Amino acid sequence: IDVHPIRDYDIFVGKTMEFKVVKINQEFRNVVVSHKALIEAELEAQRKEIEKNQAEAELANLRSQVNPHFLFNTLNNIYSLIQIDPAEAQEAVHNLSGMLRYVLYESQKDTVPLSKERRFLKDYIGLMSARLTSGVKLEVSLPENPSDKPVAPLLFIPLIENAFKHGIGDTAESFIRINLGEDNEHVTCQVENSCFPKDDTDRSGSGIGIPNLRRRLDLLYPGAYSFEYGRVQTVYRSQLRINTGK
């Protein structure tokens, strides 16, 4: 009896089964790899969503710190103005109401037109300069016809706040220079002022304003801004430049 056909058949069946097992294993591995990729993609999406929510929450908290800081400074200025010129103080309160609307509503947006931010800065400077004496030289340069390029709200106000807070001496000659400019993709705010730190622990540029601003810039303009500030002898200088095109 010729048994070779049977043996050949067994070999054929064995190889066929081995091929099918290999194929099933490969398909199983492909499924595992595919599911793993889907799971990793889903986890990455969840991680990014969590980071985004955390960043938004931190930004909201930082903005909430700016608002009372701004309000404290302006109200303190109006309080002082009441004793000097009650009529002027009344007008200042009226102007402050418009500024508060901007702070409460516009500042909650991701960006605002530069023209609106410029108007807010102009009103703030006008309010803070109302009680300046002849011993303080104030120079302000704001764009006459600013564009509507989008900028994050309230980025420049801490620099100007610090200038009025720390740049005015009780009796000594003082100065404040404020310059806001723009080009194709950049907005630059430069501020210089005489430096009269309140005491050894309260120096120009310290407090909540600058640390808050730096953190907001890191979150809003990562890799798209430059910020320099510091005291050189009796002059304090700060310059913030943001790239609005990124």
Side-chain angles (χ1 to χ4, degrees), residues 24 68 75 99 179 184 188 200:
I24 291 173
L75 288 179
M99 297 171 66
N179 184 291
N184 291 336
T188 304
D200 291 339

Side-chain angles (χ1 to χ4, degrees), residues 73-74 76-77 121-133 136-140 156-170 174-178 191-196 198 204-205 236 238:
N73 287 337
T74 51
N76 186 55
N77 194 68
L121 295 177
K122 181 176 182 294
D123 291 343
Y124 177 81
I125 293 169
L127 188 154
M128 296 300 292
S129 63
R131 70 183 183 95
L132 295 182
T133 66
V136 181
K137 184 177 181 180
L138 175 64
E139 300 177 11
V140 180
F156 309 116
I157 193 67
L159 309 183
I160 298 174
E161 278 186 308
N162 279 337
F164 280 101
K165 181 179 180 182
H166 301 285
I168 301 173
D170 294 332
S174 312
F175 73 90
I176 297 175
R177 303 188 190 103
I178 301 168
V191 180
E192 291 186 348
N193 56 270
S194 44
C195 190
F196 298 94
K198 299 297 183 284
S204 181
Y236 191 87
S238 58

